[in-house]
Amino acid sequence: GGRAGTWVAVSGGAEIAGAEAAALLLALCALFASTHAASTQAQSYPTKPIRFVVGFTAGGASDITARIVGQKLTEHFGQPVIIDNRPGASGTIAGGIVAKSAPDGYTLLAGATSILAINPGLYAKLDYDTLRDFAPVSQTVSMPQLLVVHPSVKASTLKELLALAKAKPGELNYSSSGTGSSSHLAMELLKYMAGINVVHVPFKGSGQAMPNLLAGQVQLVFDPMPSSLPHVKSGRLRAIAISTATRSPAIPDLPTVAQAGVPGYESSLWYGVLLPARTPPAIVERLNEAINAILKEPDVSERFAGLGAEPRGGTSAEFG
């Protein structure tokens, strides 16, 4: 081209000046170094304890699921996975904490239906954006909720419960794991579809809601099966119906809400694991592979089945 200086041939027959070639070479070296560093980091990951943030109190379904998975991750990686319960605002506090954490793979979120799918539609302002601020790792389980009542409630079927609620409007109280939580909306849906009036008493998770139901301070609740089914089996609570469209193998004689008298009713839950956005894809993939392997372990499958939960797994893209 008539300019002085060194020229370098590149792919496709094009030519670039020496200075530009040097800049390109430096950029390629930096890219290679970055890619190599990320790959090395993923291969050695994890090298320190992992924090697993749960948006609800201990003892609830989100907490139970996270502890089962977390214990197995500890065994799989040889590094402690520490459960960090940060209840409040239907999981939004936990979501905000993880969204603002370093994207290095050492802060996980116990994702739940309420945190990721419900809250964006109920709260005018959140500390996180579900689609922008998280890197989905894997779904863990899905499960129904049980409609359960205190033994003092004079109702053994859904029709009897609805008749009692209609005869005493505003006198029955129900607990939930928080305003805007799945348990809250499941009961509000029943109220709407069945035309009843029961009063909401919110708590910061099933771990707080359930003791108040057991003590008879509230009379009923929709609660995820892992935290409610043991009390049904022990006789401390009475199960009225199940929230999903089909019955659960864990309690096959219990009808669905739709079967028991409210046609078309359906509510289900899902849980999963997420990392902060911009976490290296290799670390996301390493965690995904570990979680999928864990969910296929017979003792894990058996434990979840006993709690009425169904292991899911799958790719990070599918969960996203």
Side-chain angles (χ1 to χ4, degrees):
R3 289 184 296 169
T6 304
W7 290 74
V8 179
V10 295
S11 177
E15 294 181 332
I16 56 177
E20 294 173 353
L24 176 61
L25 182 60
L26 287 173
L28 290 173
C29 289
L31 177 61
F32 175 80
S34 175
T35 303
H36 180 71
S39 176
T40 302
Q41 181 185 16
Q43 289 173 4
S44 62
Y45 170 88
T47 58
K48 62 182 181 180
I50 297 171
R51 180 170 64 148
F52 202 171
V53 183
V54 178
F56 302 93
T57 52
S62 183
D63 177 76
I64 292 171
T65 301
R67 289 180 187 275
I68 292 173
V69 174
Q71 178 186 353
K72 285 293 183 175
L73 284 174
T74 295
E75 297 172 7
H76 185 91
F77 286 136
Q79 290 288 346
V81 176
I82 302 166
I83 303 298
D84 184 6
N85 295 94
R86 295 297 185 97
S90 193
T92 63
I93 293 174
I97 288 172
V98 175
K100 294 178 176 64
S101 296
D104 56 7
Y106 291 96
T107 304
L108 311 181
L109 174 66
T113 314
S114 56
I115 298 175
L116 301 169
I118 296 175
N119 290 348
L122 291 186
Y123 288 86
K125 185 178 181 180
L126 292 174
D127 286 338
Y128 59 87
D129 182 296
T130 297
L131 301 180
R132 182 192 65 207
D133 294 338
F134 300 112
V137 177
S138 177
Q139 188 177 9
T140 51
V141 297
S142 63
M143 67 184 69
Q145 297 189 81
L146 290 182
L147 175 57
V148 293
V149 299
H150 188 266
S152 63
V153 176
K154 300 185 183 303
S156 298
T157 67
L158 181 61
K159 289 184 177 179
E160 291 176 354
L161 179 62
L162 297 180
L164 179 63
K166 289 178 179 178
K168 298 181 177 181
E171 293 187 26
L172 294 178
N173 298 323
Y174 77 92
S175 60
S176 81
S177 55
T179 300
S181 65
S182 301
S183 56
H184 176 205
L185 294 191
M187 187 66 77
E188 289 300 316
L189 180 61
L190 180 65
K191 287 172 59 177
Y192 174 76
M193 294 182 70
I196 59 173
N197 178 17
V198 293
V199 179
H200 182 213
V201 182
F203 294 91
K204 290 185 177 181
S206 295
Q208 288 185 2
M210 188 55 65
N212 282 272
L213 178 62
L214 293 168
Q217 296 174 350
V218 294
Q219 289 74 51
L220 64 157
V221 68
F222 264 111
D223 192 73
M225 287 187 72
S227 50
S228 56
L229 186 57
H231 299 301
V232 171
K233 290 182 175 179
S234 70
R236 300 181 69 188
L237 295 176
R238 183 184 307 125
I240 299 295
I242 195 167
S243 69
T244 43
T246 58
R247 299 191 184 204
S248 170
I251 187 168
D253 294 333
L254 187 69
T256 68
V257 172
Q259 292 171 339
V262 185
Y265 183 94
E266 180 181 0
S267 174
S268 62
L269 305 175
W270 50 261
Y271 297 89
V273 178
L274 300 97
L275 289 161
R278 298 176 297 282
T279 299
I283 289 180
V284 174
E285 183 62 23
R286 183 159 166 76
L287 266 172
N288 175 271
E289 291 174 354
I291 291 171
N292 274 276
I294 286 167
L295 293 176
K296 293 177 182 177
E297 293 184 16
D299 61 326
V300 174
S301 298
E302 183 178 349
R303 188 171 180 186
F304 276 132
L307 295 170
E310 183 178 350
R312 290 296 186 182
T315 68
S316 59
E318 288 169 342
F319 184 39

